[in-house]
């Protein structure tokens, strides 16, 4: 920890004692590698953005040279941990009172920067220009505030799933997050700072300020200060959250004794803001006046937004700016106003990172030569503090803990991520089957489950790096960080968007990577791959001896049995730890007998009697027995039927899932002993592509652009999704424009019980995209 004391501020004109505790590793991360800066200085908050390179470890696999194979034992490939440099964006939000301290810290820890210019936006960019140039030795280049705002908004809407949300105060889940839309335009942005700007955004570079108002956040702050003698904005919001506006406001029922039915006005509607204060002979509390003022301004802005949305025929309205601050009362009032005036035709949408829009836009203006829009970016949960971390009346303990700092980190991904072209409706696609922000019972179970599994993950991480004595210390830091994330999510389930099993898994992977555990299961995968390859020819020979009908069923059971080998499921990992001899045949015996929990096998079997599919896209799951003895024989059968096959595997490691690098080596090895696989590769009828994902789950709206291109070129007409993470936790309800197979074994007792089955129950779901087709439903009891 490093403590700094700020005295005698040169910008304030009087002595001002401020102390600030900055944990540098937590806040100004990777500052020594910073390449480019941008800053957005508002009336009270500064948002600093910088681009840095991050050096971290990655696990690479390399096939052994066959000429020297004897010297390497039985292993098919070797694993090496290498250093890799990737790009990361950091966004830090703090109060202007700390600007000198923070600039001093940045200056002291800045080793080198490629640019001598810092892009700046916001009103304070003028006020603090001289201070920034003196402290950092960088020239301040001012950028247009509105242009930066729009650029930032477009960027977060494209790159952060669950960025936008609807606020519903009285619903089971207050926050309902929207999925990433394939086309974000057009939309209306209502930016509420000191005043209000209303902007119609039609494309990346085409936008127009179509209106505004002088009654905005500055009005609330100014009038609030006069009424309550409270000078701080956050304190005003706190007062408002405790107040009763009905003490001050005149309602319809105060005038008419009830509702005004002929005009459709209910009795509890505000007829006149502050109306009672003119006639009532009494003192009004600060809380009630602040609440009334907040309602008055929010309602006014909501009605104004509605009029412009209707005038320009826009249904998406995003609200942002200093005034919102993630404050529940503000969001509820604006939402109520929008619903009332449009009768539900227009949605009020808010943004998790609305405070960063200007800083992001300013950064993008300075980074245009790098073409940041050529890549997709992903939020790094390990380095982001999450929604509501500085909201004045939400979890004050959390606010005190994090001081005045709020953080967002984004990692540049290898390429552009796009929708699977075969989604029936990309705009309504939701990857996750259960939203844990809405299901409290499921949320409590899964948070408990991930916390219980933490010791095992730490043990596995340390064991994966036996030659590194500091691995135990890093693993302990991982434990602390991930446990803290789980505790945050227990109190604030909406901190990173919709809380799902997928987001819990992804957060764990991000935290493991943060402490240089790129692939804790690499040695296990290697051992299981080598073992399974020895049985491949025998497995294929047994299948070939069966009749056609028997073989189709045996192939499906093989995929399902292979899917049992999942180190991410505690029931399975306990067995695999205690019984290393547990094998493919034992797994088959564990499977539920037909009829399965969800059983479309008969329909699938009938379909196989028809013409072969043109091309099958198979999203594969685990290494070892799963891919080698389960999936590959199934693929072999498809190839024999005349169907082209595309195998889509993870770009990076997650649990014991097979990665694209591993699959390339395994497929070559299988081809060396199987003429069908060999011919498939040689004739380009068997193709391996990376999915763009490094998760045990699957988001079909964020897939590698090359994969999408292959889907189109090959005229894919069958999608196969395998595994509990990809076919049950995600995509169970995904609707596609072609035939699909979803196959999984349920390896969690709680989930099996909830779905009306038992451990090792089978889900085999074959769907045909026809309006009359009603697939089996998997509805929690």
């Amino acid at each position: 920890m490093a403590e700094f004391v700020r005295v005698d501020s040169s910008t304030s004109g009087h002595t001002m004692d401020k102390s600030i505790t900055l944990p540098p590793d937590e806040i100004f991360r990777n500052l020594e590698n910073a390449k480019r800066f941008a800053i957005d200085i508002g009336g009270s908050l500064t948002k600093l953005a910088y681009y840095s390179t991050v050096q971290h470890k990655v696990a690479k696999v390399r096939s052994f040279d066959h000429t020297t194979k004897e010297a390497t034992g039985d292993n098919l490939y070797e694993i090496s941990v290498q250093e890799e440099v990737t790009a990361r964006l950091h966004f830090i939000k703090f109060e202007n009172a700390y600007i000198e301290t923070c600039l001093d810290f940045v200056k002291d820890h800045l080793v080198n920067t490629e640019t001598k210019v810092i892009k700046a936006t916001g009103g304070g960019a003028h006020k603090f220009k001289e201070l920034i140039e003196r402290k950092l030795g960088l020239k301040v280049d001012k950028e247009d505030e509105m242009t930066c705002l729009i650029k930032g908004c477009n960027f977060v809407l494209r790159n952060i799933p669950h960025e936008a949300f609807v606020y519903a105060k009285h619903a089971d889940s207050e926050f309902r997050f929207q999925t990433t839309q394939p086309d974000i335009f057009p939309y209306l942005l209502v930016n509420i700072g000191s005043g209000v700007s209303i902007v119609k955004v039609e494309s990346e570079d085409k936008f127009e300020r179509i209106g505004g108002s002088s009654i905005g956040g500055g009005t609330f702050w100014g009038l609030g200060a006069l009424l309550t003698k409270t000078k701080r904005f956050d304190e005003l919001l706190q007062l408002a959250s405790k107040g009763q506006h009905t003490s001050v406001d005149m309602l319809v029922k105060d005038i008419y004794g009830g509702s005004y039915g002929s005009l459709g006005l209910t009795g509890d509607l505000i007829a006149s803001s502050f109306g009672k204060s003119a006639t009532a002979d009494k003192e009004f509390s600060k809380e009630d006046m602040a609440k009334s003022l907040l309602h008055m301004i929010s309602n006014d802005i909501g009605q104004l937004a509605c009029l412009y949305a209707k005038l320009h025929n826009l249904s998406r309205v995003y609200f942002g700016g200093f005034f919102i601050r993630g404050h529940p009362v503000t969001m509820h009032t604006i939402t109520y106003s929008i619903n009332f005036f449009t009768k539900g035709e227009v949605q009020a949408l808010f943004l998790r990172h609305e405070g960063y829009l200007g800083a992001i836009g300013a950064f993008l203006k300075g980074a245009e030569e790098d073409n940041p829009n050529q890549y997709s970016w992903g939020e790094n949960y390990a380095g982001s503090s999450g929604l509501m971390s500085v909201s004045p009346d939400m979890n004050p303990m959390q606010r005190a803990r994090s001081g005045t700092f709020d953080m967002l980190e984004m990692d540049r991904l290898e390429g552009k991520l796009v929708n699977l072209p075969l989604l029936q409706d990309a705009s309504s696609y939701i990857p996750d089957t259960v939203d844990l922000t809405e299901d409290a019972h499921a949320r409590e179970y899964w948070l408990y489950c991930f916390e219980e599994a933490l010791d095992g993950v730490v043990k596995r991480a340390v064991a994966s790096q036996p030659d590194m004595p500091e691995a135990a210390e890093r693993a302990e830091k991982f434990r602390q960080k991930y446990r803290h994330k789980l505790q945050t999510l227990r109190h604030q389930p909406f901190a990173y968007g919709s809380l799902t099993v997928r987001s819990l898994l992804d957060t764990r992977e991000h935290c493991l990577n943060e402490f240089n555990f790129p692939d804790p299961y690499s040695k296990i995968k290697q051992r299981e791959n080598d073992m399974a390859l020895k049985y491949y020819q025998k497995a294929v020979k047994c299948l070939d001896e069966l009749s056609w009908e028997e073989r189709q069923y045996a192939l499906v059971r093989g995929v399902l049995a292979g899917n049992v080998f999942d180190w991410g499921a505690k029931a399975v990992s306990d067995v695999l730890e205690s019984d290393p001899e547990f094998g493919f045949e034992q797994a088959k015996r564990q499977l539920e007998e037909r009829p399965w929990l969800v059983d479309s096998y008969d329909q699938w079997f009938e379909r196989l009697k028809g013409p072969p599919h043109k091309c099958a896209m198979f999203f594969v799951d685990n290494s070892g027995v799963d891919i080698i003895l389960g999936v590959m024989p199934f693929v072999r059968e498809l190839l024999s039927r005349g169907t082209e096959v595309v195998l889509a595997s993870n770009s990076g490691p997650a649990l014991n899932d097979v990665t694209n690098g591993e699959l390339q080596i395994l497929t070559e090895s299988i081809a060396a002993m199987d003429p069908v696989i060999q011919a498939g590769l040689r004739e380009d009828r068997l193709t391996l592509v990376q999915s763009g994902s490094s998760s045990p789950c699957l988001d079909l709206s964020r897939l590698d652009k090359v994969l999408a291109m292959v889907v189109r070129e090959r005229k894919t007409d069958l999608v196969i999704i395998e595994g509990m993470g990809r076919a049950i936790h995600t995509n169970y309800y995904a609707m596609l424009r072609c035939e699909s197979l979803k196959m999984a074994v349920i390896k969690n007792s709680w989930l099996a019980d909830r779905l009306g089955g038992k451990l090792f129950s089978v889900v085999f779901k074959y769907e045909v995209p026809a309006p009359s087709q009603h697939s089996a439903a998997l509805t929690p009891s």
Side-chain angles (χ1 to χ4, degrees):
M1 300 285 277
E3 186 167 284
F4 302 84
V5 180
R6 173 183 180 271
V7 293
D8 193 22
S9 167
S10 59
T11 57
S12 63
H14 60 85
T15 301
M16 182 177 171
D17 290 329
K18 282 275 181 190
S19 65
I20 178 173
T21 302
L22 296 177
D25 292 342
E26 285 299 315
I27 295 172
F28 291 100
R29 288 148 54 93
N30 306 306
L31 195 56
E32 67 280 5
N33 299 322
K35 307 294 183 192
R36 190 174 290 108
F37 285 91
I39 198 162
D40 175 14
I41 309 175
S44 64
L45 290 177
T46 295
K47 286 76 69 177
L48 180 68
Y50 61 95
Y51 163 95
S52 72
T53 53
V54 183
Q55 198 163 17
H56 59 93
K57 289 181 167 44
V58 292
K60 297 282 187 183
V61 296
R62 185 176 67 86
S63 184
F64 280 117
D65 185 341
H66 293 293
T67 59
T68 61
K69 185 81 162 46
E70 296 75 24
T72 61
D74 294 331
N75 291 338
L76 176 66
Y77 57 85
E78 65 175 337
I79 308 157
S80 62
V81 175
Q82 300 172 15
E83 293 287 341
E84 190 174 87
V85 175
T86 54
R88 181 173 287 175
L89 295 179
H90 302 259
F91 303 97
I92 304 151
K93 190 183 342 178
F94 52 87
E95 292 176 9
N96 289 353
Y98 300 129
I99 190 168
E100 282 204 55
T101 302
C102 293
L103 290 175
D104 280 337
F105 186 84
V106 169
K107 179 187 176 185
D108 291 344
H109 291 76
L110 195 59
V111 177
N112 180 40
T113 180
E114 291 177 354
T115 180
K116 297 301 176 190
V117 174
I118 181 168
K119 293 287 185 181
T121 191
H126 293 290
K127 181 180 177 182
F128 292 100
K129 180 177 185 290
E130 185 185 328
L131 175 69
I132 297 166
E133 290 185 338
R134 188 177 77 248
K135 292 278 187 185
L136 297 186
L138 301 175
K139 180 180 178 292
V140 172
D141 189 358
K142 183 82 168 65
E143 291 291 341
D144 176 68
E145 196 169 351
M146 197 55 64
T147 302
C148 291
L149 201 66
I150 302 303
K151 272 189 173 290
C153 192
N154 292 342
F155 184 82
V156 297
L157 288 174
R158 287 192 191 285
N159 287 285
I160 305 183
H162 299 161
E163 171 62 29
F165 62 90
V166 172
Y167 183 75
K169 184 180 179 181
H170 300 297
D172 290 340
S173 174
E174 290 177 87
F175 297 80
R176 293 186 180 169
F177 293 92
Q178 309 290 294
T179 53
T180 308
Q181 301 290 321
D183 186 9
I184 62 173
F185 306 112
Y187 65 85
L188 197 68
L189 177 64
V190 180
N191 192 59
I192 315 167
S194 298
V196 180
S197 286
I198 299 177
V199 187
K200 179 183 179 182
V201 185
E202 296 182 75
S203 69
E204 199 67 49
D205 300 306
K206 186 180 179 185
F207 60 89
E208 178 189 3
R209 186 183 189 276
I210 56 174
S213 172
S214 62
I215 300 172
T219 315
F220 174 67
W221 199 352
L223 280 177
L226 290 172
L227 289 166
T228 68
K229 309 304 180 191
T230 300
K231 293 292 185 182
R232 288 178 60 83
F233 193 89
D234 277 358
E235 286 175 19
L236 266 176
L237 288 177
Q238 277 183 317
L239 287 173
S241 66
K242 297 170 187 171
Q244 291 292 331
H245 76 98
T246 52
S247 302
V248 184
D249 292 341
M250 189 175 288
L251 308 182
V252 168
K253 65 185 177 186
D254 295 323
I255 300 173
Y256 297 102
S259 63
Y260 193 152
S262 62
L263 292 181
L265 302 176
T266 60
D268 57 359
L269 279 178
I270 298 172
S272 174
S273 295
F274 287 90
K276 287 179 181 173
S277 61
T279 56
D281 186 20
K282 67 170 186 175
E283 290 290 319
F284 295 96
S285 73
K286 292 180 178 181
E287 290 82 0
D288 293 349
M289 288 190 291
K291 183 68 164 284
S292 175
L293 184 62
L294 187 62
H295 270 288
M296 181 180 82
I297 291 168
S298 299
N299 277 324
D300 185 61
I301 292 169
Q303 184 171 17
L304 200 59
C306 286
L307 292 171
Y308 278 105
K310 287 198 155 192
L311 186 63
H312 293 268
N313 198 29
L314 296 170
S315 59
R316 278 180 290 198
V317 182
Y318 296 103
F319 289 86
F322 173 76
F323 179 66
I324 304 288
R325 299 293 291 279
H327 191 257
V329 177
T330 312
M331 294 189 295
H332 172 63
T333 311
I334 288 174
T335 299
Y336 182 88
S337 177
I338 292 278
N339 289 340
F340 179 80
F341 289 116
T342 70
K343 296 181 170 56
E345 290 175 11
V346 174
Q347 275 194 322
L349 292 158
F350 303 94
L351 301 169
R352 284 173 56 212
H353 301 107
E354 54 87 12
Y356 293 118
L357 302 187
I360 292 171
F363 172 81
L364 293 171
K365 286 286 287 182
E368 282 170 346
E369 63 269 27
D370 290 343
N371 294 317
N373 285 320
Q374 281 190 357
Y375 299 92
S376 286
W377 299 75
E379 181 174 1
N380 177 7
Y381 297 133
S384 292
S385 51
L387 179 71
M388 306 299 284
S389 61
V390 294
S391 177
D393 65 340
M394 295 292 287
N395 201 345
M397 290 294 290
Q398 171 80 3
R399 179 171 165 75
R401 185 201 63 77
S402 62
T404 55
F405 289 83
D406 191 22
M407 294 164 287
L408 165 66
E409 282 186 6
M410 299 184 72
D411 288 326
R412 193 178 81 183
L413 308 177
E414 286 185 22
K416 197 81 172 168
L417 299 184
V418 298
N419 284 299
L420 178 71
L422 294 168
L423 284 172
Q424 198 170 88
D425 180 10
S427 63
S428 64
Y429 167 70
I430 298 172
D432 304 288
T433 306
V434 178
D435 184 345
L436 302 180
T437 56
E438 296 184 2
D439 190 331
H441 182 56
R443 176 171 73 245
E444 193 49 47
Y445 170 75
W446 286 111
L447 286 169
Y448 168 80
C449 187
F450 277 88
E451 196 153 5
E452 281 292 290
L454 201 42
D455 286 345
V457 177
V458 168
K459 180 182 169 187
R460 178 63 50 212
V462 174
S464 72
Q465 298 180 354
D467 303 327
M468 297 185 181
E470 84 293 351
E473 184 183 341
R474 280 187 285 113
E476 188 54 38
K477 287 180 179 177
F478 153 74
R479 182 208 302 272
Q480 291 170 10
K481 171 152 268 192
Y482 188 57
R483 179 171 282 149
H484 172 69
K485 294 287 179 189
L486 293 175
Q487 288 167 352
T488 298
L489 290 166
R490 188 166 268 118
H491 297 295
Q492 302 173 27
F494 44 77
Y496 300 97
S498 288
L499 180 61
T500 62
V501 173
R502 175 170 64 104
S503 68
L504 289 169
L505 285 163
D506 290 351
T507 303
R508 190 168 71 185
E509 292 298 323
H510 291 184
C511 291
L512 281 167
N513 282 318
E514 191 69 33
F515 296 102
N516 277 323
F517 294 105
D519 194 357
Y521 291 86
S522 57
K523 299 280 198 304
I524 289 174
K525 289 190 289 182
Q526 183 183 39
R527 185 175 71 242
E528 292 184 349
N529 285 333
D530 288 332
M531 190 72 70
L533 279 170
K534 293 173 182 173
Y535 293 96
Y536 178 79
Q537 285 175 301
K538 181 184 176 185
V540 167
K541 185 172 181 290
C542 290
L543 287 165
D544 285 345
E545 289 170 355
L546 298 173
S547 68
W548 182 85
E549 183 172 339
E550 290 173 327
R551 186 164 69 250
Q552 304 317 308
Y553 182 57
L555 285 164
V556 166
R557 286 192 79 236
V559 173
L560 294 167
N563 193 242
V564 169
F565 291 82
D566 183 354
W567 282 85
K570 192 173 187 303
V572 176
S573 62
D574 287 348
V575 171
L576 296 176
E577 289 270 20
S578 60
D579 182 8
E581 299 303 312
F582 183 84
F584 193 38
E585 295 306 315
Q586 289 97 315
K588 286 179 186 175
R589 290 195 288 272
Q590 295 283 351
L591 293 179
E592 174 187 36
E593 293 296 323
R594 289 191 69 199
W596 295 322
L597 181 62
V598 176
D599 195 335
S600 306
Y601 178 76
D602 291 340
Q603 294 94 312
W604 170 247
F605 180 71
E606 287 303 313
R607 171 63 185 86
L608 289 175
K609 294 176 182 176
H613 295 89
K614 169 76 175 67
C615 176
M617 166 75 71
F618 200 135
F619 288 97
V620 300
D621 194 8
N622 306 309
S623 282
V625 172
D626 191 345
I627 186 70
I628 294 166
L629 301 183
V631 171
M632 279 302 188
F634 194 93
V635 168
R636 184 177 186 270
E637 184 76 10
L638 288 171
L639 290 169
S640 300
R641 281 173 57 81
T643 300
E644 295 177 14
V645 179
V646 179
L647 293 180
S649 53
N650 270 9
S651 301
L655 294 172
N656 65 313
D657 292 0
V658 67
T659 64
N660 186 254
E662 291 159 353
L663 188 56
Q664 298 277 355
I665 295 168
L666 295 177
T667 306
E668 286 172 14
S669 182
I670 291 170
M673 50 182 163
D674 187 335
V676 177
I677 300 295
Q678 189 176 66
L681 289 174
R682 186 178 62 248
E683 296 162 12
D684 197 29
R685 292 188 300 111
L686 174 58
T687 310
L688 277 57
V689 295
Q690 57 180 347
S691 66
S693 170
S694 298
S695 169
C697 297
L698 181 64
D699 182 351
L700 297 176
S701 69
R702 285 172 68 82
L703 295 174
D704 192 278
K705 196 174 182 179
V706 173
L707 182 147
M709 187 176 68
V710 170
V711 165
R712 288 193 187 94
E713 287 177 351
R714 300 282 171 124
K715 295 183 170 54
T716 302
D717 55 354
L718 172 65
V719 171
I720 305 169
I721 305 176
E722 178 213 6
M724 201 163 76
R726 290 168 177 79
I728 294 181
H729 291 313
T730 54
N731 297 304
Y732 187 80
Y733 295 116
M735 301 299 290
L736 302 178
R737 288 191 286 112
C738 69
E739 294 173 55
S740 64
L741 262 183
K742 297 166 187 175
M743 295 186 276
V745 177
I746 300 175
K747 293 151 289 194
N748 176 284
S749 298
W750 180 90
L751 181 62
D753 183 61
R754 195 167 217 240
L755 300 176
K758 57 185 188 299
L759 198 63
F760 301 116
S761 285
V762 167
V763 170
F764 185 89
K765 192 179 187 188
Y766 170 60
E767 293 178 301
V768 178
S772 58
Q773 179 85 12
H774 296 289
S775 57
L778 189 66
T779 308
S781 56

